[in-house]
Amino acid sequence: MARLARAAGRGAGARGGRAVSPPLFETRAVTKRYGGLTAVRAVSVRLEPGELVGLIGPNGAGKTTLFNLITGADTVSEGRVWFAGRDVTALKDYQRARLGMARTFQNIRLWPDMSALDNVRAVLAPGPGSGAVAAVLRLPAFRRSEAALTARAEALLDRLGLRAHADARSVDLPYGEQRKLEICRALALEPRLLLLDEPAAGMNPAEKAALMATVEELRRERNLTILVIEHDMKFVMGICERIYVLDHGEEIAHGRPDEVRADPKVIEAYLGGGAC
Amino acid sequence: MGGGAPLLAIALGPEGYWWANLLVLVSVYSLLGLSLNLINGYGRMFSLGHHGFWALGAYGAGWLTVALAGTLPGPLVFVLSCLFAMGVAAAGGLVIGLPCLRLRGDYLAIATLGFGEIVRIAIQNSPRELLGGAEGLTVPRVLMEVGPETRAAYRLLFVGLGLVLVVLVAAAIRNYVRSARGRAMLATAQDEVAAGLLGIDPTRSKVAAFLMGSTLAGLAGAVYAHYQGNITPLEFGFMEMVKIFLIVVLGGLGSISGCVLAAFVLLFVEQWLGRLPDSVGWVKEWWQVEYALVLVLLMIFRPRGLLGPRELTDVWRAWRGRRAAAPGRGGGAP
Ligand SMILES: Nc1ncnc2c1ncn2[C@@H]1O[C@H](COP(=O)(O)OP(=O)(O)OP(=O)(O)O)[C@@H](O)[C@H]1O
Ligand SMILES: [Mg+2]
């Protein structure tokens, strides 16, 4: 494990020939216990700006729990979470989100009775003129702010090919489109860090490949830093620069895809766990 | 208005008089239903204390009217008492809403249930010179003198006032729901965890909707107090909560037009039952059970309300669409 980490550090430093930049985000030995079960044990993850990093591990490894600790959906038992140069461990979920941290959910959690457009508009930061009084009186300032929100939301829907579904209730969308809408909604937050929890779950290989390509493009277009959970090793290997591997709540390996793939502990965890 | 009033009374007749009374009550209960719909329908919170906010508004308006009557022009007293009623109800909403809505879970139902009863009992046991105690509070008529000749005009005045308020409040709620704040409220209602993780402050959205709902119930209370001229604590019992909730569920949780229609249907039936002969008096006597039964049946078979979140216009369009599509169906695919 230590060997891999060192190798990865060298790799990151060598990539642009520049000094190691300060991380956009890191967890410092975070631990989560549920009663007697330790779902995450002293995990330290660190992402530099612009990286696309994978988080893999068998079922129940603690991947989603780690996302919950990062985003504030759940509180840590021990350890700290840092984001954009500050300790955010004490901040609430919505406060962390507003600092530029957005996520999607393994079990889709769209707002079911709202349209696809409204799922996106609800997340966009409303500009001036969007206050309750202006809204109730339908003042011109409100109309302008609403038109601007709609245009931004439609552009995002367009980007992920969802424009045709704009007015449909989000539960009525086909499954794959719901997954894309979750990404769209997360992007509406204009995040710096995007956390994707199995974004391609339930898709066929062709759809998966297309989605991963889109994720890769979005990263470049929007200067995103992305941490993605994915069960399917093949796909993570294809697009991620670095990979963290969790098993039973602990980090068992970390490094470049080829290094991770060859790691005996990883092979053991995957074969032993029976996943994939 | 003095010269026209007796003529109005004659033109209205006993039937018209009955209808005018019905329409005023329909507007008051529409305001109550619309405001509860904001909390329980759009907001998907579970408030059981709407009758308490209604009572706060009625007694707030009544108290200020007693204090100010004669010192200021009547219409001004009326407007001030409405604003004061809304303020009192909002303060009550803040006291109940802030602690309960911070938590995720159904603390609100329990707290509001207790709140409604506490308000009623407190008024009942209040000193007579303050709120009239159990005997009730007489609210001075500040909008116009009410004698045998002007009673009809007074009712018509409140029919107009009530309908205008219902239209204004319905428009305000619709506009709020279709705004950035409204979407934050809907998102919080539909998945609070997701809302928080996507940058929406769930407590703020819930408190805002809850406060708006209780404030508007206060306005309904003010109109009711001025219309009745005399209010007693017994009028604000828990059965009223059942009635308001029944209106919201009948109309469809999250439907504005459905709510107004439901208020009309419910009050029409209630007032009409009042005119039944004594031979079928049991229908009247058992009304509490009947309401509760209808509510239970609705919650079992149509938990989102009769119409669901649709507006009457949507239903109408769907019905027209189906009728238009029906004849073409036969000649379709083999
Ligand atoms: N709220 C909770 N209360 C109790 N136990 C929990 C809770 N959340 C997760 N766990 C447990 O923590 C462990 C890690 O779960 P987690 O969902 O993080 O795994 P995962 O790596 O995301 O798995 P999967 O690939 O199946 O999504 C599991 O054993 C799970 O049962
Ligand atoms: Mg998971």
Side-chain angles (χ1 to χ4, degrees):
Chain A
M1 177 174 107
R3 183 176 53 81
L4 286 177
R6 242 181 288 118
R10 263 202 312 279
R15 221 185 319 133
R18 60 194 150 87
V20 175
S21 47
L24 173 69
F25 150 78
E26 71 182 309
T27 64
R28 295 187 183 165
V30 291
T31 295
K32 180 66 191 182
R33 278 184 289 269
Y34 293 114
L37 175 88
T38 305
V40 169
R41 189 192 306 270
V43 171
S44 297
V45 171
R46 178 187 162 105
L47 266 70
E48 282 168 37
E51 274 191 302
L52 173 47
V53 175
L55 179 61
I56 64 172
N59 284 108
K63 307 180 295 291
T64 299
T65 304
L66 184 62
F67 266 27
N68 289 343
L69 300 180
I70 294 169
T71 53
D74 220 329
T75 52
V76 296
S77 305
E78 276 162 38
R80 313 299 298 178
V81 179
W82 282 70
F83 180 63
R86 62 187 280 198
D87 185 344
V88 297
T89 320
L91 294 188
K92 294 220 172 73
D93 49 4
Y94 69 90
Q95 292 167 323
R96 294 189 203 186
R98 288 175 187 176
L99 289 177
M101 185 193 278
R103 72 175 281 182
T104 65
F105 299 90
Q106 181 175 359
N107 312 309
I108 296 172
R109 297 191 81 144
L110 292 164
W111 297 304
D113 290 337
M114 293 169 76
S115 68
L117 182 71
D118 278 348
N119 266 270
V120 177
R121 285 200 297 185
V123 176
L124 287 170
S130 61
V133 174
V136 165
L137 299 177
R138 282 290 185 264
L139 298 181
F142 170 78
R143 288 170 195 277
R144 276 195 299 277
S145 89
E146 199 72 353
L149 284 180
T150 306
R152 282 164 64 199
E154 283 174 346
L156 276 171
L157 289 173
D158 252 341
R159 180 62 189 84
L160 281 133
L162 296 171
R163 184 65 179 274
H165 297 290
D167 294 325
R169 284 197 320 161
S170 67
V171 274
D172 296 336
L173 261 55
Y175 182 79
E177 313 289 87
Q178 290 192 22
R179 288 233 169 262
K180 287 188 205 161
L181 183 55
E182 277 230 336
I183 296 178
C184 219
R185 183 176 71 167
L187 291 176
L189 205 55
E190 301 198 339
R192 284 192 281 174
L193 176 66
L194 181 61
L195 301 146
L196 301 170
D197 195 344
E198 303 198 23
M203 292 185 178
N204 66 38
E207 288 170 330
K208 262 190 191 183
L211 185 76
M212 287 305 182
T214 309
V215 168
E216 171 66 52
E217 285 163 25
L218 286 170
R219 167 168 75 131
R220 266 182 276 116
E221 280 167 28
R222 301 178 161 259
N223 287 323
L224 292 168
T225 307
I226 300 177
L227 182 60
V228 56
I229 297 178
E230 176 54 62
H231 255 303
D232 194 332
M233 288 261 260
K234 263 208 318 277
F235 285 100
V236 206
M237 299 289 174
I239 60 166
C240 295
E241 287 138 14
R242 288 194 296 129
I243 292 172
Y244 288 92
V245 189
L246 291 188
D247 189 23
H248 297 299
E250 284 181 78
E251 181 194 308
I252 55 163
H254 159 216
R256 287 200 315 270
D258 53 324
E259 294 168 333
V260 164
R261 186 166 23 210
D263 193 294
K265 281 204 209 124
V266 176
I267 295 166
E268 161 73 26
Y270 267 79
L271 294 178
C276 302
Chain B
M1 201 175 283
L7 288 177
L8 260 179
I10 296 162
L12 210 52
E15 275 304 301
Y17 202 67
W18 185 84
W19 276 100
N21 181 54
L22 173 66
L23 287 182
V24 176
L25 293 179
V26 167
S27 355
V28 169
Y29 280 86
S30 292
L31 291 176
L32 290 169
L34 287 171
S35 50
L36 186 68
N37 195 15
L38 201 52
I39 301 172
N40 290 25
Y42 291 114
R44 299 194 191 174
M45 294 173 268
F46 199 44
S47 171
L48 286 172
H50 220 55
H51 57 308
F53 297 112
W54 183 30
L56 280 186
Y59 273 89
W63 179 82
L64 193 76
T65 306
V66 170
L68 294 183
T71 64
L72 292 171
L76 182 61
V77 174
F78 177 79
V79 171
L80 286 178
S81 72
C82 286
L83 294 176
F84 184 68
M86 292 165 80
V88 173
L94 216 53
V95 168
I96 291 297
L98 265 189
C100 298
L101 295 172
R102 278 179 190 289
L103 308 166
R104 286 176 185 169
D106 275 331
Y107 300 93
L108 188 70
I110 297 159
T112 48
L113 181 65
F115 170 78
E117 289 311 287
I118 288 169
V119 168
R120 191 177 53 76
I121 292 166
I123 294 170
Q124 217 156 341
N125 295 314
S126 65
R128 267 178 66 180
E129 55 286 2
L130 186 69
L131 293 176
E135 280 165 41
L137 179 69
T138 300
V139 184
R141 306 290 193 178
V142 288
L143 284 180
M144 61 190 284
E145 300 252 333
V146 181
E149 295 194 333
T150 51
R151 274 171 64 202
Y154 196 73
R155 284 200 176 183
L156 285 184
L157 174 66
F158 271 84
V159 170
L161 195 70
L163 294 182
V164 168
L165 280 178
V166 168
V167 170
L168 287 181
V169 166
I173 290 176
R174 175 184 163 280
N175 287 351
Y176 182 77
V177 172
R178 298 183 188 179
S179 75
R181 295 285 173 80
R183 287 189 291 267
M185 170 182 78
L186 295 177
T188 304
Q190 292 175 26
D191 190 333
E192 191 172 337
V193 172
L197 288 165
L198 284 149
I200 295 166
D201 178 353
T203 307
R204 184 186 153 150
S205 314
K206 288 194 290 182
V207 169
F210 186 73
L211 266 188
M212 216 178 311
S214 33
T215 306
L216 290 172
L219 176 64
V223 175
Y224 184 74
H226 281 285
Y227 174 67
Q228 296 291 14
N230 186 66
I231 45 176
T232 61
L234 287 178
E235 291 164 71
F236 304 97
F238 186 68
M239 264 325 279
E240 293 306 311
M241 177 67 221
V242 174
K243 246 160 88 177
I244 304 165
F245 192 51
L246 188 52
I247 287 171
V248 175
V249 175
L250 266 176
L253 289 153
S255 167
I256 290 173
S257 46
C259 188
V260 176
L261 180 72
F264 181 84
V265 170
L266 191 84
L267 282 150
F268 178 82
V269 170
E270 188 183 278
Q271 297 288 307
W272 184 77
L273 285 179
R275 308 209 294 185
L276 283 181
D278 286 344
S279 54
V280 284
W282 61 270
V283 181
K284 241 183 307 181
E285 278 158 29
W286 286 81
W287 65 275
Q288 299 200 344
V289 178
E290 289 151 13
Y291 280 2
L293 203 64
V294 173
L295 188 56
V296 167
L297 289 177
L298 271 176
M299 292 313 283
I300 293 171
F301 295 107
R302 302 295 306 241
R304 307 285 306 274
L306 271 189
L307 290 183
R310 292 179 301 173
E311 295 297 336
L312 290 180
T313 46
D314 302 332
V315 177
W316 169 245
R317 237 177 275 129
W319 184 74
R320 289 243 325 239
R322 211 175 309 142
R323 276 188 31 138
R329 242 176 234 158

